[in-house]
Amino acid sequence: MEKFKRLKNEGNEFVKMGEYEEAAKKYSECMKLNTEECTVYTNRALCYLKLYKYEEAKQDCDHVLHIEDSNIKAFYRRALAYKGLQVRKKNMAGI
């Protein structure tokens, strides 16, 4: 549990510095230790949104919503992911 907290805190620090790729890696390491902790999924979803990885963000939010069906952050970030996917689809249609 101590390693989990350390990795999560490191991920949070990377987010504060705008290092979203590094933060996502830390959160992914956390998930290997505990797959039920929803905050690391919503945090990684935030990183994926910042990195324009909308499908990955949506998947993380879907995972959280299977565990906690009323998680507000997961709903909000999934909506942002859907919006990003729609924008990408429209841009691809114009090419």
Side-chain angles (χ1 to χ4, degrees):
M1 198 63 186
E2 205 50 46
K3 184 177 181 181
F4 177 88
K5 286 181 183 178
R6 181 179 52 79
L7 289 168
K8 183 180 172 193
N9 288 335
E10 289 173 9
N12 293 345
E13 288 303 313
F14 279 122
V15 167
K16 289 176 188 173
M17 294 186 293
E19 299 287 334
Y20 301 110
E21 195 73 51
E22 291 301 316
K25 289 177 188 174
K26 293 295 180 182
Y27 297 136
S28 294
E29 288 181 51
C30 286
M31 291 167 191
K32 293 175 187 172
L33 301 172
N34 182 350
T35 59
E36 300 297 309
E37 177 64 42
C38 292
T39 57
V40 291
Y41 285 90
T42 55
N43 289 357
R44 189 172 74 169
L46 170 69
C47 295
Y48 285 151
L49 289 169
K50 296 289 188 178
L51 296 167
Y52 308 106
K53 295 181 177 182
Y54 301 117
E55 185 59 39
E56 293 88 338
K58 185 186 94 52
Q59 289 171 6
D60 278 356
C61 293
D62 287 342
H63 178 82
V64 170
L65 292 168
H66 283 295
I67 298 168
E68 292 180 11
D69 62 359
S70 61
N71 187 298
I72 300 301
K73 280 187 181 179
F75 274 119
Y76 178 69
R77 291 181 180 160
R78 186 171 69 172
L80 293 175
Y82 276 123
K83 183 178 177 183
L85 288 168
Q86 290 298 328
V87 168
R88 182 176 290 159
K89 189 186 258 185
K90 285 179 184 175
N91 288 342
M92 293 301 286
I95 293 177

